[in-house]
Amino acid sequence: MASMATPTLKNPSSLSLSSKPRLPSPLSAAFPNTLHFPPSHPQRRRFLIITASAASNKPTVLVAEKLGEAGLELLKQFANVDCSYNLSAEELCTKISLCDALIVRSGTKVNREVFESSGGRLKVVGRAGVGIDNVDLSAATEHGCLVVNAPTANTVAAAEHGIALLAAMARNVAQADASVKSGKWQRNKYVGVSLVGKTLAVLGFGKVGSEVARRAKGLGMHVIAHDPYAPADRARAIGVELVSFDEAIGTADFISLHMPLTPATNKMLNDETFAKMKKGVRIVNVARGGVIDEEALVRALDDGIVAQAALDVFSEEPPKPDSKLVQHERVTVTPHLGASTMEAQEGVAIEIAEAVVGALKGELAATAVNAPMVPAEVLTELKPYVELAEKLGRLAVQLVAGGSGVKTVKVSYATSRAPDDFDTRLLRAMITKGIIEPISSVFVNLVNADFTAKQRGLRITEERVLLDGSPESPLESIQVQIANVESKFASAMSETGEIRVEGRVKDGVPHLTKVGSFEVDVSLEGSIILCRQVDQPGMIGTVGSILGEENVNVSFMSVGRVAPRKHAVMAIGVDDQPSKESLKRIGEVPAIEEFVFLKL
């Protein structure tokens, strides 16, 4: 994995993410429970993370679900620890007003009522595990409470469980076991298949996916992977080839799922994708239940497209006892055991204890999953630019062709502000968020943006283009470039070979103003269709008619061209997602040479 240098600026701000608080200060004395950061402006101070109670009193940590002893010991060295399990919602709300931190697993709902009942004392919520579906992040942020999780400790356990299910499925272990215990001896019925020489497609090549790949290679399998974000050199280092999604599912004998559940991956395996698979494929899922359309999987099993499936996760947990999928004779199931080893449980306990203690001490938490506190006046001024930054990141990463690992991003800010009056950390974090979040389960914010980028081998550099003029507006434009990748939309490539998008804020609304070398002007609302076309009369009307026939409202339309009657790029803002048929019709218009649909 490539390393990431500290983000650089031609005119760097005096305040960086690694800046240490200068204490004591007058505000520190007045507010001993607040961590203060150096001002980027003589009259402005930034408040980032609310920390624990005064040093003279130990903070209190409520552990609401069972935690490993090693983690409890770490907590007890720093805080008073109250282990109260199986609390009702009412009991939790009663106790929480006496606690500075709360640690839960997946069984405790930490909703808005919990934060309101804390009376402002609750400073940190620790989730012992990865998923944070049971924590109301918006309410946590509103109440100044940091939420941290433990995303790395169960990596090996999840990978081992994936391999266990892979082997058990291939050799019908669960079915044969049940048969023998029922008094039968059916050797011929449970003839399995070998793993050696078979092709395994790993969908999602993050921590768990790469560990599964290593182990599968050791079993003599040929391993390919699809992950729009994984660096190709990291895959090559363990003998894995990165391929497109269609190639992965079309050539695999076995498919192992390791992607997060996001809008982009929800029901990723469905009737359409099952139809593209090799007949007799076998599927393992230790990721998230929602990435498979479970009704479609039952149909694929019944039709013989999918020979077997081994599932540790489900859309609804626990699944209904009469679930057709669970009861299917060619499906092996386990009750979400991916992280359930003694070693993983201890590792998670230590990881979450360290994160909670660090947050209570006022340290920046690399595993923070909600937004930090930012002064209201800064947010008000930067709000439209923050939105612009994230959407440019989302656009840029969607233009990257599958299989290209994103490693190098350059951000240029055109501004008339002096360096000490323009801190880019928040904008950089939002660009990182836009690039990473659509294809990851990580929540990116000001606290963890640089760490998250470094962890994924993503190097982000920044430059400031100093403009003449009034400094009243913080920015004239933001440009995002991704280097050393191929593009789904060739016209998005600049003269120097990078994917390039640029935008600015007009009347408080983010606009896309440049794609590659083409000038456009389209509001970044809804979604966007980009078309490269031969510049000729009637093109706007032709495309508009196709969308209108499906009642898709066009919010903006802009055409940028190199010269009359030559090539042009048309950018179309739409409020709704057109159907695949409509997009196909647009692509079949003779004068349109290429097009791409981008979700915002």
Side-chain angles (χ1 to χ4, degrees), residues 399-402 404-405 482-489 493 497 499:
L399 289 167
V400 176
S404 298
I482 301 180
N484 305 317
V485 294
E486 296 179 1
S487 177
K488 296 176 182 176
F489 188 68
M493 303 297 283
I499 289 177

Side-chain angles (χ1 to χ4, degrees), residues 57 73 93 113 173 177 200 222 234 259 271 301 383 395 432 449-450 460 486 503 539 541 557 578 582:
N57 300 316
E73 287 303 315
C93 288
E113 187 179 359
V173 171
D177 174 75
L200 170 67
H222 170 60
R234 181 161 64 87
M259 72 279 284
D271 287 314
L301 285 160
K383 183 178 179 181
L395 283 178
T432 305
D450 287 350
I460 298 180
E486 296 179 1
M539 291 304 301
M557 188 175 285
S582 294

Side-chain angles (χ1 to χ4, degrees), residues 560-575:
R561 60 187 185 179
V562 291
R565 304 284 178 164
K566 299 294 184 181
H567 291 301
V569 165
M570 178 163 52
I572 309 163
V574 293
D575 294 334

Side-chain angles (χ1 to χ4, degrees), residues 229-557:
Y229 201 76
D233 58 348
R234 181 161 64 87
R236 282 195 300 268
I238 57 176
V240 174
E241 180 187 3
L242 289 178
V243 299
S244 70
F245 177 76
D246 283 349
E247 183 178 349
I249 65 172
T251 59
D253 301 300
F254 293 81
I255 295 174
S256 190
L257 304 179
H258 303 286
M259 72 279 284
L261 181 59
T262 69
T265 62
N266 185 42
K267 295 187 177 180
M268 176 178 278
L269 296 196
N270 50 45
D271 287 314
E272 183 180 346
T273 50
F274 285 131
K276 297 178 181 179
M277 294 178 186
K278 181 189 293 188
K279 188 168 183 177
V281 69
R282 290 170 168 82
I283 296 172
V284 176
N285 187 11
V286 294
R288 288 289 184 266
V291 301
I292 297 178
D293 182 334
E294 293 177 351
E295 293 181 358
L297 177 55
V298 171
R299 289 190 289 270
L301 285 160
D302 290 341
D303 293 342
I305 297 172
V306 176
Q308 291 177 291
L311 310 173
D312 186 48
V313 289
F314 304 88
S315 297
E316 178 185 350
E317 294 186 358
K320 291 182 172 60
D322 60 350
S323 164
K324 290 182 180 179
L325 183 61
V326 172
Q327 297 300 329
H328 203 289
E329 67 174 350
R330 287 185 282 118
V331 175
T332 301
V333 294
T334 52
H336 206 144
L337 297 179
S340 296
T341 67
M342 295 174 62
E343 294 81 1
Q345 294 302 305
E346 285 298 295
V348 166
I350 292 171
E351 187 175 5
I352 197 61
E354 290 176 342
V356 168
V357 168
L360 288 172
K361 288 179 177 178
E363 299 170 359
L364 295 182
T367 59
V369 294
N370 66 333
M373 301 296 288
V374 178
E377 67 273 17
V378 175
L379 280 179
T380 300
E381 181 179 55
L382 287 182
K383 183 178 179 181
Y385 301 96
V386 165
E387 187 178 355
L388 171 64
E390 181 179 355
K391 289 187 174 181
L392 288 176
R394 285 181 180 272
L395 283 178
V397 78
Q398 287 182 74
L399 289 167
V400 176
S404 298
V406 179
K407 295 181 182 178
T408 305
V409 176
K410 179 181 177 181
V411 185
S412 300
Y413 308 99
T415 179
S416 56
R417 290 272 179 97
D420 61 356
D421 195 32
F422 182 57
D423 181 7
T424 63
R425 291 183 310 155
L426 183 55
L427 298 176
R428 183 175 74 240
M430 297 308 289
I431 290 168
T432 305
K433 178 185 179 77
I435 291 172
I436 292 177
E437 278 194 359
I439 48 177
S440 169
S441 60
V442 175
F443 292 83
V444 179
N445 57 47
L446 181 58
V447 173
N448 68 359
D450 287 350
F451 174 86
T452 303
K454 181 178 181 180
Q455 197 176 44
R456 282 157 176 74
L458 176 63
R459 175 184 170 86
I460 298 180
T461 58
E462 298 174 288
E463 70 172 8
R464 182 182 283 106
V465 179
L466 192 59
L467 303 176
D468 294 329
S470 170
E472 291 181 6
S473 175
L475 271 175
E476 176 64 22
S477 67
I478 301 175
Q479 183 182 100
V480 177
Q481 297 183 65
I482 301 180
N484 305 317
V485 294
E486 296 179 1
S487 177
K488 296 176 182 176
F489 188 68
S491 301
M493 303 297 283
S494 68
E495 305 89 339
T496 52
E498 301 92 5
I499 289 177
R500 177 193 293 167
V501 291
E502 185 175 308
R504 63 182 59 189
V505 172
K506 296 183 177 182
D507 299 321
V509 178
H511 279 64
L512 178 67
T513 56
K514 181 178 281 190
V515 177
S517 302
F518 292 88
E519 302 281 347
V520 296
D521 187 5
V522 60
S523 173
L524 289 174
E525 299 175 292
S527 298
I528 289 179
I529 300 171
L530 295 177
C531 304
R532 184 179 71 183
Q533 64 189 59
V534 176
D535 186 33
Q536 64 183 42
M539 291 304 301
I540 292 176
T542 299
V543 175
S545 295
I546 293 173
L547 296 172
E549 288 173 14
E550 198 182 328
N551 200 31
V552 174
N553 189 52
V554 174
S555 56
F556 287 90
M557 188 175 285

